Amino acid sequence: MKTFSRFGFLATAMVFHLVYIMSIFDIYFVSPIVSGMRLFSVPREAEQRAPADRLVLFVGDGLRADKAFQSFPEPYPKTDADLEPRPLAPFIRNQVLEKATFGVSHTRVPTESRPGHVALIAGLYEDVSAVATGWKMNPVNFDSVFNRSRHTWSWGSPDILPMFEHGAVPGRVDTYMYGAEMEDFSHDGFDLDYWVFDHVKDFFKEAETNPELNKAVREDKVVFFLHLLGIDTTGHTFRPYSPEYLYNIKVVDQGIKEVTELIDKFYGDDRTAYVFTADHGMSDWGSHGDGHPDNTRTPLVVWGSGVNGPELHPGTLAPGHTEFSADWGFDHVRRHDVAQADIAALMAYLIGTEFPANSVGQLPLSYLKADNKAKAEASLVNAQGILEMYRVKEEKKAASEMRFKPFEALSAEGSTPASRLASIRALIDAGKVEEAVEETDALMALALDGLRYYQTYDWLFLRTVVTLGYLGWMAYALTAVVDTFVVKEHISPSRKAGHLTFFSALLVTFYAYFYVSAAPWTYYVYVFYPVMFWEEVFAKRESLVQGGKVLFAHVQGIGAVMALVANIIFYVAVIESLALGYIHREVFTGLFVLGSLWPVAYGLSFLRSNLFLSFGWAFSCLVMSVFTLLPAQKVEDVTLIVAGGVLMALIGLLYLVFQDFVLKDFSSANKRPQANSDVAVGRVLVGAQVGLIILSIIVTRSSALSIQSKNGLPPGNQIVGWLVFIVSFLMPFAYRLDKTTHYMHRLIVIFLTCAPTFVILAISYEGLFYVAFSMLLLAWVRLETNAQNFVAARTPQNGRAKKDEKVGAAVLRALTLSDARVVLFFMILLQSAFFSTGNVASVSSFSLESVARLIPIFDPFSQGALLIVKLMIPFALISANLGVLNKRLGVAPSALFILTMGLCDILTLYFFWVVKDEGSWLEIGSTISHFVIASLLCVFVAALEGVSALFISGMEVEEALAGVPSVTGENGEDTKPRVSANGKSVKRS
């Protein structure tokens, strides 16, 4: 490129988009954690005890509320009586009917184990940016009920327990964890729960004979935490409606019963409180992470010392029930729903500790066994804790802002926190406790609004800066395209002292303001990019003017103008429909059906001369249109997996049989023959790749059936699976022995390289998609070439590049408006690679079933890496085919990629403005996913440009527009001179 190198431009694109992805976490999802607060607990007389001396927390990881309370037939029936529906958790059900207060705990996204447990135990909702640091350990230290306790003993998963030990007072939290190798998705998960229950029993057995331990467990303010991961593990493998999942609920219920009886017998004082809940639910497809109600509704049952008994309404529908709980058999028992963070406040109250410092939970008074005055006192202390966070945030913001505007509702005279607290105290002292509770609830709501006010204090400014950044990037990219690939002559940037002074002063002003405000370092970066981009665009204004004249020179007359406007409207409508496709995948079905008619637009003469190719394109489009009508979340189907693999192997075998015909570009015309030795080497290597596909089919089928039959993953299968996976990706290196340079041969090699991976990691119809997608890409490359050649033949003076008679070589041509269609198709294909086999915008659309054939032990990072490899394969195909299309159209290697990078941020900017941090958890999670995916698309395109250059290096491609073969260099660059639209050679930038 004329100003920046090609590598520099791509690096700028990648860094800019990765940095700007963080903007939503600085704007919409600011961490709620602050420090420096005073702690508050319910005051009691010296002789007055807390409601409970100890608390036992049972968390059934991945347990849905409906499955916990519904009735089902015996999961493994032995008699006809077992077919009658019955409660799977009879002990928990008995507590609901006789001793407990129950309800539904509503979680927030992301519905994952780490943030769910943080909300339960610390009372705060983590910002979603914590996903970037993983769920295992603390991105920042936070206070928790465990840290407020005198001592906490915990049993369970190594993925959850350490984060509450880390950052707590040293020695306060003890953890007992099984090894990571036990989290095996190829086996039943209830062994994990048996481990927990057995070790708890051993713990109390030891306490009977160990005086020091006995003394410690008999202290007050102690907590026992049982993390029960079996339900989550079983649900991922077998689904929540499976006998395995339902049986695991029985295991958990029986274990809770035995532990409860053991603890009651051990202490014998009825001073223990019990809490049973879950961190998140699970979808019918065995996944979680997004805001679907099946993932956000979890059971909550609380009983024991200090807890209210059930509120019964015999013969009537009790308050709180909805259609969701209609089949639970609890219609006469009041349902008390809470937000998940409220549980932390409840546990702190029951054992008499301070509320966790960062807790935003509101104490659910209906769960407390206390008189109204005690409830009002507890609620007031709860409000003081939340107001303390408000005070700290207000002071920090006031200290850093030059023109500070306080939260009006809590700053006006007579409305300050101190005056409102005094008013509530007066109501309690006057015996008006119900009114005091109402005022306290209103005050907590105001305090939470105030916290939100200060968290969103910089929203308007930051959103404006980020918007200018994205607009600047689009203008910058399009300017680079025009300056490099459209304008005939080199035009130097025009930079004068006045305009440099203006942009420099603008940047210095913002930086000075950030320095005074002690703003995060990211603010400096957010402002730098729009200033840099717009300065560059302004400096290239002469190139833009000249480029506009070149691009629109043929637009003459009202008819041409109207046609141009109609095309622009159509293109914008298609791009907008892509945004809609993130929510409704069926939109891509409509786009493919519409795209199948594309050849018709060129008329009958084009159709007659390209009949077979047009039919193949239409057929491929219609096949692709089917996939976005299929369910995004899939059930393992070995038959479909095998069918996809067989088709891949069949394509490889057909290529071996018809290789000569294919390498003649599907023509019987004689072309330059290849040496027999070269052909022989190529055939052997292709045959080896076909063999790897067949082996992958055999081992995948065997592994899937073994796991389905609960025999686990055979070690031999795992070894063979990994060998096939690794060797298939190493095969392209063996092709260095093969001298075949034809582009069709290279595309077949790439297709066969990725095929075994798609077989091994497939769950259902993904292999069929892989075949259909590859066919569509090949048809697109050939049809686009023929279409542009057809148009060029009819309008020979349209400014396209011509053959250089002097050197007899193909030349690069300038971009034209028609190339925008190539970019539009490219964008649609990019999106369809994401959404044709699933909804990538939903975290819960990923399933661990496929990766369990290679890594059966739970390892989120390694398993996630395998899922990403599978996700990236279609993009490798796209990059290779677009690289070939670049060459066949005679376009510079980077031109179409850079143009795409400039246009795809139309989607990014749209999704940036519709990100939500309020509303349903489904809406919040979806908007985050949409923005991140749209933003990463530009990064993908930048990376694909490099991948494309790698794939097409040394490849022989027939340039349809120039009519002669061209060979790319080792770095993917064209080795021939560039000429402008007037046919004269120009120096390559």
Side-chain angles (χ1 to χ4, degrees):
M1 302 179 70
K2 293 185 175 71
T3 303
F4 290 100
S5 68
R6 172 179 161 196
F7 174 80
F9 181 90
L10 297 177
T12 300
M14 297 182 73
V15 173
F16 165 71
H17 284 86
L18 291 175
V19 168
Y20 261 48
I21 283 176
M22 296 191 303
S23 66
I24 65 168
F25 303 116
D26 275 330
I27 299 172
Y28 299 103
F29 304 102
V30 178
S31 174
I33 299 175
V34 292
S35 58
M37 287 85 67
R38 295 168 296 174
L39 297 175
F40 294 86
S41 63
V42 177
R44 293 184 175 87
E45 300 295 335
E47 68 280 359
Q48 187 181 11
R49 302 170 70 179
D53 286 343
R54 67 201 69 89
L55 181 137
V56 182
L57 172 62
F58 303 100
V59 176
D61 200 307
L63 177 58
R64 282 166 42 165
D66 55 350
K67 300 300 181 184
F69 297 132
Q70 287 172 337
S71 295
F72 297 92
E74 179 66 29
Y76 300 106
K78 297 180 180 179
T79 65
D80 291 342
D82 290 339
L83 300 177
E84 290 294 324
R86 78 279 307 274
L88 296 179
F91 177 76
I92 295 297
R93 181 181 183 83
N94 185 64
Q95 305 309 304
V96 172
L97 294 174
E98 299 181 4
K99 300 179 179 180
T101 301
F102 100 105
V104 173
S105 169
H106 296 274
T107 74
R108 285 193 182 181
V109 291
T111 45
E112 299 288 350
S113 292
R114 176 197 157 81
H117 281 88
V118 170
L120 276 172
I121 299 167
L124 65 100
Y125 298 111
E126 280 193 297
D127 56 304
V128 187
S129 60
V131 73
T133 60
W135 300 130
K136 288 188 175 182
M137 290 300 290
N138 307 25
V140 294
N141 293 332
F142 53 82
D143 197 16
S144 70
V145 174
F146 293 173
N147 191 44
R148 295 292 110 216
S149 69
R150 192 178 306 278
H151 202 97
T152 293
W153 289 270
S154 56
W155 296 264
S157 167
D159 303 316
I160 296 300
L161 302 191
M163 69 182 177
F164 295 103
E165 181 183 21
H166 177 79
V169 174
R172 181 162 293 179
V173 180
D174 287 349
T175 58
Y176 302 90
M177 301 171 289
Y178 40 74
E181 68 279 359
M182 286 190 65
E183 299 180 26
D184 190 337
F185 284 98
S186 64
H187 292 85
D188 288 324
F190 48 75
D191 286 339
L192 304 176
D193 298 336
Y194 282 140
W195 187 98
V196 171
F197 292 131
D198 289 343
H199 279 73
V200 171
K201 293 173 186 176
D202 292 341
F203 174 84
F204 280 99
K205 185 176 181 180
E206 181 186 352
E208 293 177 349
T209 58
N210 184 329
E212 184 177 348
L213 179 59
N214 190 286
K215 179 182 178 182
V217 298
R218 293 187 184 277
E219 297 263 14
D220 63 350
K221 301 180 182 179
V222 298
V223 176
F224 303 101
F225 171 40
L226 284 69
H227 176 235
L228 307 169
L229 185 62
I231 293 176
D232 183 76
T233 304
T234 303
H236 282 309
T237 306
F238 301 105
R239 308 290 191 268
Y241 49 76
S242 65
E244 292 81 2
Y245 186 91
L246 300 177
Y247 180 76
N248 211 143
I249 295 176
K250 294 187 62 176
V251 170
V252 167
D253 181 73
Q254 181 63 27
I256 291 175
K257 176 184 178 182
E258 293 174 1
V259 168
T260 301
E261 292 173 349
L262 171 67
I263 291 176
D264 286 345
K265 181 180 178 181
F266 180 87
Y267 289 104
D269 58 2
D270 293 327
R271 295 282 301 163
T272 307
Y274 298 91
V275 176
F276 169 65
T277 187
D279 53 346
H280 55 74
M282 183 169 289
S283 73
D284 283 340
W285 303 98
S287 56
H288 54 82
D290 66 8
H292 191 281
D294 286 341
N295 295 329
T296 62
R297 294 185 296 211
T298 61
L300 176 62
V301 183
V302 187
W303 71 96
S305 183
V307 182
N308 247 339
E311 182 181 325
L312 304 178
H313 296 258
T316 62
L317 181 65
H321 282 284
T322 62
E323 185 179 352
F324 174 63
S325 56
D327 61 347
W328 295 357
F330 297 150
D331 288 356
H332 63 294
V333 183
R334 182 167 184 171
R335 174 180 145 189
H336 304 267
D337 287 12
V338 302
Q340 192 173 47
D342 298 345
I343 299 174
L346 174 62
M347 293 191 295
Y349 168 83
L350 288 174
I351 58 175
T353 67
E354 301 94 343
F355 292 104
N358 298 109
S359 173
V360 296
Q362 295 179 248
L363 187 62
L365 301 181
S366 59
Y367 281 75
L368 310 184
K369 187 177 183 180
D371 58 42
N372 290 337
K373 183 177 181 181
K375 291 182 179 181
E377 293 279 5
S379 182
L380 180 59
V381 174
N382 187 191
Q384 288 177 298
I386 296 175
L387 283 169
E388 181 67 7
M389 278 189 291
Y390 170 83
R391 179 189 67 81
V392 171
K393 284 200 172 187
E394 182 181 50
E395 290 178 354
K396 288 185 175 181
K397 182 58 67 175
S400 62
E401 289 295 324
M402 297 175 64
R403 299 180 63 185
F404 175 68
K405 294 182 179 180
F407 181 55
E408 187 174 352
L410 288 176
S411 60
E413 186 175 353
S415 299
T416 62
S419 62
R420 287 176 177 270
L421 289 172
S423 175
I424 294 171
R425 168 53 58 194
L427 290 172
I428 295 175
D429 293 341
K432 300 178 180 179
V433 291
E434 292 182 359
E435 188 177 344
V437 169
E438 291 178 1
E439 289 295 321
T440 304
D441 289 341
L443 179 56
M444 281 191 282
L446 274 178
L448 293 174
D449 288 342
L451 288 173
R452 176 169 176 76
Y453 171 79
Y454 290 119
Q455 284 184 302
T456 62
Y457 194 88
D458 297 325
W459 267 31
L460 179 60
F461 170 74
L462 286 176
R463 285 197 286 190
T464 301
V465 168
V466 171
T467 299
L468 290 173
Y470 278 118
L471 291 174
W473 162 256
M474 287 187 279
Y476 171 74
L478 294 177
T479 300
V481 169
V482 170
D483 184 52
T484 307
F485 307 114
V486 176
V487 177
K488 299 176 183 179
E489 64 276 358
H490 176 67
I491 300 176
S492 299
S494 175
R495 288 186 169 89
K496 297 181 180 179
H499 116 251
L500 287 174
T501 302
F502 170 78
F503 284 103
S504 300
L506 190 64
L507 192 63
V508 169
T509 300
F510 278 122
Y511 280 8
Y513 173 72
F514 293 156
Y515 180 80
V516 172
S517 302
W521 68 268
T522 50
Y523 285 30
Y524 294 82
V525 182
Y526 297 152
V527 166
F528 170 78
Y529 278 110
V531 173
M532 181 191 77
F533 289 147
W534 286 110
E535 189 280 330
E536 182 69 19
V537 171
F538 188 76
K540 296 281 189 69
R541 57 192 180 278
E542 294 182 17
S543 293
L544 288 175
V545 172
Q546 185 64 28
K549 293 178 180 179
V550 173
L551 287 173
F552 301 107
H554 67 287
V555 182
Q556 298 176 358
I558 188 64
V561 173
M562 293 298 293
L564 177 62
V565 172
N567 274 283
I568 293 174
I569 293 174
F570 176 76
Y571 278 38
V572 172
V574 171
I575 293 175
E576 285 298 317
S577 70
L578 291 178
L580 187 62
Y582 278 62
I583 303 171
H584 305 287
R585 294 169 61 240
E586 298 81 3
V587 169
F588 291 98
T589 297
L591 290 176
F592 278 119
V593 171
L594 182 64
S596 68
L597 304 176
W598 170 38
V600 177
Y602 294 102
L604 290 176
S605 59
F606 178 82
L607 291 174
R608 279 194 295 266
S609 59
N610 296 274
L611 183 61
F612 177 76
L613 180 57
S614 298
F615 175 79
W617 163 262
F619 176 76
S620 298
C621 284
L622 294 177
V623 171
M624 281 293 297
S625 71
V626 174
F627 290 104
T628 42
L629 296 177
L630 299 175
Q633 295 168 314
K634 301 169 284 293
V635 177
E636 188 174 56
D637 190 322
V638 177
T639 302
L640 288 178
I641 296 172
V642 171
V646 169
L647 276 179
M648 298 175 203
L650 182 61
I651 289 174
L653 292 173
L654 288 174
Y655 176 70
L656 285 176
V657 174
F658 298 103
Q659 181 174 355
D660 293 339
F661 175 68
V662 172
L663 296 186
K664 290 177 181 178
D665 242 1
F666 304 98
S667 170
S668 59
N670 291 325
K671 297 190 177 182
R672 183 181 57 184
Q674 297 216 353
N676 290 333
S677 59
D678 295 344
V679 174
V681 171
R683 287 181 180 274
V684 170
L685 294 176
V686 170
Q689 287 188 298
V690 173
L692 287 172
I693 296 174
I694 295 172
L695 186 57
S696 71
I697 296 172
I698 296 171
V699 72
T700 299
R701 182 179 183 277
S702 174
S703 298
L705 293 177
S706 178
I707 293 174
Q708 287 179 4
S709 61
K710 302 181 188 178
N711 293 323
L713 178 64
N717 285 29
Q718 186 178 13
I719 293 172
V720 173
W722 272 110
L723 284 174
V724 172
F725 179 84
I726 294 171
V727 172
S728 63
F729 282 109
L730 294 177
M731 282 299 296
F733 293 101
Y735 277 91
R736 292 181 176 272
L737 303 174
D738 181 21
K739 304 301 182 182
T740 306
T741 58
H742 195 279
Y743 77 95
M744 279 300 302
H745 184 71
R746 186 72 60 86
L747 292 179
I748 285 290
V749 170
I750 295 170
F751 171 82
L752 296 177
T753 296
C754 302
T757 301
F758 236 84
V759 173
I760 294 173
L761 299 181
I763 299 175
S764 180
Y765 56 79
E766 299 100 304
L768 300 175
F769 157 77
Y770 181 69
V771 173
F773 191 62
S774 301
M775 291 173 52
L776 178 70
L777 289 173
L778 180 60
W780 174 54
V781 169
R782 297 182 63 82
L783 188 62
E784 184 67 60
T785 305
N786 289 8
Q788 296 224 22
N789 193 38
F790 176 77
V791 174
R794 297 177 65 182
T795 56
Q797 300 302 321
N798 65 348
R800 296 179 182 275
K802 303 181 180 67
K803 181 179 177 181
D804 189 331
E805 298 292 344
K806 183 175 182 179
V807 297
V811 296
L812 299 179
R813 65 169 175 83
L815 289 180
T816 65
L817 288 178
S818 64
D819 292 313
R821 181 187 62 251
V822 180
V823 171
L824 187 65
F825 273 110
F826 181 48
M827 291 177 65
I828 294 173
L829 291 169
L830 278 176
Q831 305 285 345
S832 66
F834 271 118
F835 293 99
S836 289
T837 59
N839 181 9
V840 183
S842 170
V843 179
S844 67
S845 68
F846 294 102
S847 174
L848 297 180
E849 283 178 308
S850 59
V851 295
R853 301 168 198 152
L854 294 177
I855 306 177
I857 307 301
F858 179 65
D859 185 346
F861 296 103
S862 299
Q863 292 173 325
L866 287 177
L867 289 173
I868 290 174
V869 169
K870 175 184 173 183
L871 189 67
M872 291 297 104
I873 286 176
F875 296 101
L877 296 179
I878 293 175
S879 65
N881 281 273
L882 187 63
V884 171
L885 182 58
N886 267 329
K887 295 303 301 173
R888 288 177 67 86
L889 296 181
V891 176
S894 301
L896 298 179
F897 285 102
I898 294 174
L899 184 56
T900 304
M901 284 188 278
L903 295 177
C904 66
D905 273 338
I906 297 174
L907 286 175
T908 307
L909 193 54
Y910 169 79
F911 286 127
F912 171 77
W913 276 95
V914 298
V915 170
K916 295 183 177 181
D917 67 336
E918 290 185 313
S920 74
W921 310 138
L922 179 60
E923 291 175 330
I924 295 171
S926 296
T927 58
I928 297 170
S929 302
H930 295 167
F931 169 76
V932 172
I933 291 173
S935 190
L936 285 176
L937 272 180
C938 191
V939 178
F940 290 157
V941 173
L944 289 179
E945 205 280 337
V947 173
S948 175
L950 177 66
F951 282 156
I952 67 172
S953 63
M955 182 188 295
E956 180 181 309
V957 178
E958 183 74 12
E959 291 192 4
L961 296 182
V964 294
S966 168
V967 181
T968 56
E970 290 302 316
N971 63 352
E973 294 286 351
D974 193 274
T975 59
K976 299 178 176 62
R978 174 181 179 181
V979 301
S980 65
N982 60 11
K984 296 181 179 179
S985 296
V986 296
K987 186 178 180 180
R988 179 177 297 277
S989 56

